[in-house]
Amino acid sequence: MKQEKKICVIGLGYIGLPTAALLANRGYDVHGVDVVESTVDIINRGEIHIVEPELDTFVKAAVNSGNLKAALKPAKADVFIIAVPTPFHEGYVPNVDYIISATKAIAPYVVEGNIVILESTSPVGTTDMMESVLKESNINTSELYIAHCPERVLPGHIMRELVENDRIVGGTTPEATEATVEFYNTFVEGEVLSTDAKTAEMAKLTENSFRDTNIAFANELSILCDKFNIDVWELIALANRHPRVNILQPGAGVGGHCIAVDPWFIVHAGGEDANMIRTAREVNTYKTEWAIEKIKNEALKFENENGRKAKVACMGLAFKPDIDDLRESPALYITRRLIADGLDVLAVEPNVEDFKEFSLVNYKDALVQADTVTFLVAHKEFKGLDIQTKLDFCGVLN
Ligand SMILES: NC(=O)c1ccc[n+]([C@@H]2O[C@H](COP(=O)([O-])OP(=O)(O)OC[C@H]3O[C@@H](n4cnc5c(N)ncnc54)[C@H](O)[C@@H]3O)[C@@H](O)[C@H]2O)c1
């Protein structure tokens, strides 16, 4: 069904491209924008530059239908959706520079009655800041509908979750909330919930901090269990039989560009009042350092016993199982550190083919060659392996 509205999506990465492709498949005329020329070219050929199930089919259909076009510059539209990165600067200071430049880029094209949506995960106050940037460009923002609608999809399931997940919409005015809710209701099957901009911003940060804090609890338990010589996986399975206990699984740390990043936005603004959220981040970061020490000690033990350096297999580099995403990955960080510290490392990542920083080894070859096997990510290939000399930080053998 052809939709009346024209949509301009700024940022064609893991969030923006699936959103643009979905909207185009739902009959919207979508103008996608990215600052990377190769990304624009790939999309205009009907192809994709990221790995995400089903996305290729959606993009191909969207481009072939003529409903999706990518470009380096924005165009006039009824709805603008900003989905650019929100990393942090040195010292965990939130970096909203991409949002500022995306907002400045759309300013010449925004007119009265437009809906301007920020989907990027953002520090509290960013949607208001976006409005200020538009005002500085002499736009009468009282005639726009400006809102935040944080994205909460799970990589690997993005196309389904974009439609099925409940969404939170927080406008800078009640009218903006209402207009934005109405827009999302045209393609979201989940419930679209209304609030104000700041609450919507904080809701997304809260969701990721909740995950981070709960993983920190599991990671701390894993360190304590190692000290007490208790199997943490068995312990958690037993404790979780309590009807009101649900402990998450420990790992080599916490990675990805969401859970390992977003809690810092709260900590930065909340200062000493964000005590537990900061501590959780520190516990999860410490778990990675702790793992490095364990691996080094194991390698040293082998060297002392055998009179030669140990070959250490690092099994997995991605930030979580069965994906190729290496952003903020503790497994990659551990492997890099071990290599930098002079260990003889066999790096394994079955989901990545082309990696320039160091050479990768097939996991079966690594198992044959290794003296010590370290499981960093619970990829499906590693499940059920029968290994004697091992450190399992992700519970893949349990
Ligand atoms: N990936 C996820 O699973 C996920 C989930 C929920 C929320 N988010 C949030 O969504 C936002 C986007 O994340 P992502 O994973 O899509 O990032 P990404 O890095 O995959 O994509 C961002 C894209 O924006 C482009 N870009 C940067 N500045 C631009 C500008 N000024 N104009 C046009 N394009 C520009 C980049 O070239 C890139 O292609 C972030 O705030 C992230 O925290 C991501």
Side-chain angles (χ1 to χ4, degrees):
M1 190 181 65
K2 189 74 190 158
Q3 298 278 353
E4 289 299 309
K5 285 191 166 70
K6 179 166 178 168
I7 319 290
C8 181
V9 179
I10 317 292
L12 298 173
Y14 282 91
I15 297 304
L17 182 56
T19 304
L22 175 72
L23 290 168
N25 278 279
R26 293 294 176 96
Y28 284 104
D29 179 7
V30 181
H31 180 87
V33 181
D34 206 285
V35 285
V36 178
E37 201 168 349
S38 58
T39 298
V40 168
D41 293 343
I42 290 169
I43 295 167
N44 280 333
R45 289 202 302 268
E47 294 165 11
I48 56 175
H49 64 107
I50 47 176
V51 178
E52 177 60 33
E54 293 182 64
L55 179 61
D56 52 350
T57 317
F58 273 82
V59 170
K60 197 171 181 184
V63 172
N64 285 347
S65 70
N67 281 359
L68 174 63
K69 287 184 196 71
L72 289 166
K73 292 264 176 282
K76 288 215 153 143
D78 302 291
V79 181
F80 291 85
I81 299 176
I82 295 181
V84 294
T86 41
F88 47 63
H89 291 296
E90 191 72 20
Y92 304 118
V93 177
N95 175 354
V96 293
D97 295 354
Y98 296 92
I99 296 178
I100 294 173
S101 67
T103 309
K104 284 182 178 164
I106 62 167
Y109 305 92
V110 169
V111 297
E112 183 185 334
N114 284 171
I115 300 176
V116 180
I117 302 163
L118 175 64
E119 282 211 1
S120 302
T121 305
S122 302
V124 173
T126 310
T127 314
D128 287 342
M129 178 215 69
M130 207 171 79
E131 179 167 10
S132 305
V133 173
L134 289 171
K135 274 185 185 150
E136 283 162 20
S137 305
N138 294 324
I139 291 170
N140 181 1
T141 55
S142 65
E143 293 178 344
L144 300 178
Y145 302 101
I146 302 173
H148 181 49
C149 179
E151 189 49 73
R152 32 158 70 146
V153 288
L154 179 68
H157 303 266
I158 293 181
M159 297 320 299
R160 181 176 57 78
E161 290 206 352
L162 272 179
V163 175
E164 290 182 2
N165 285 357
D166 292 343
R167 299 295 292 263
I168 298 172
V169 168
T172 53
T173 61
E175 294 74 26
T177 307
E178 200 181 319
T180 309
V181 168
E182 200 180 307
F183 168 63
Y184 279 93
N185 272 330
T186 64
F187 64 97
V188 170
E189 285 168 15
E191 204 173 330
V192 184
L193 306 155
S194 303
T195 182
D196 55 53
K198 277 186 176 177
T199 310
E201 288 158 350
M202 187 62 178
K204 171 68 191 180
L205 302 181
T206 300
E207 289 159 19
N208 284 349
S209 298
F210 175 87
R211 301 278 300 159
D212 197 47
T213 307
N214 282 277
I215 298 169
F217 182 74
N219 275 336
E220 186 161 296
L221 274 182
S222 71
I223 294 171
L224 291 169
C225 282
D226 187 73
K227 197 175 206 168
F228 306 152
N229 205 15
I230 289 171
D231 181 339
V232 69
W233 313 101
E234 185 192 355
L235 173 90
I236 290 175
L238 291 170
N240 281 349
R241 297 297 286 270
H242 182 291
R244 284 166 296 282
V245 171
N246 184 13
I247 304 167
L248 301 184
Q249 300 294 298
V254 171
H257 72 309
C258 289
I259 298 181
V261 173
D262 305 342
W264 288 118
F265 295 0
I266 297 182
V267 174
H268 180 257
E272 288 182 2
D273 293 324
N275 206 8
M276 191 167 85
I277 295 171
R278 187 189 56 250
T279 305
R281 274 283 71 237
E282 287 167 355
V283 168
N284 286 330
T285 306
Y286 172 68
K287 179 67 192 287
T288 306
E289 295 298 328
W290 182 86
I292 292 171
E293 280 313 302
K294 290 289 278 186
I295 300 166
K296 281 184 175 173
N297 286 341
E298 202 62 22
L300 196 60
K301 196 168 137 224
F302 178 91
E303 195 169 335
N304 289 340
E305 286 169 1
N306 296 277
R308 66 173 173 87
K309 259 175 103 168
K311 277 192 195 306
V312 180
C314 287
M315 307 292 281
L317 298 178
F319 85 80
K320 64 176 191 174
D322 305 324
I323 58 165
D324 68 334
D325 195 338
L326 303 176
R327 288 180 289 180
E328 309 291 330
S329 169
L332 177 59
Y333 177 81
I334 289 170
T335 307
R336 272 184 186 143
R337 279 276 301 276
L338 296 177
I339 293 171
D341 291 348
L343 271 77
D344 197 350
V345 169
L346 302 159
V348 173
E349 179 42 76
N351 299 294
V352 173
E353 273 176 20
D354 187 23
F355 191 64
K356 297 197 169 49
E357 193 177 324
F358 44 79
S359 54
L360 299 180
V361 184
N362 174 283
Y363 81 93
K364 288 182 183 155
D365 294 341
L367 293 179
V368 172
Q369 293 174 43
D371 301 305
T372 305
V373 183
T374 300
F375 290 94
L376 301 174
V377 192
H379 288 318
K380 60 181 185 314
E381 290 83 355
F382 308 156
K383 287 197 172 134
L385 290 173
D386 185 16
I387 311 287
Q388 296 307 312
T389 50
K390 53 150 205 298
L391 284 170
D392 183 3
F393 294 106
C394 53
V396 69
L397 304 184
N398 284 70

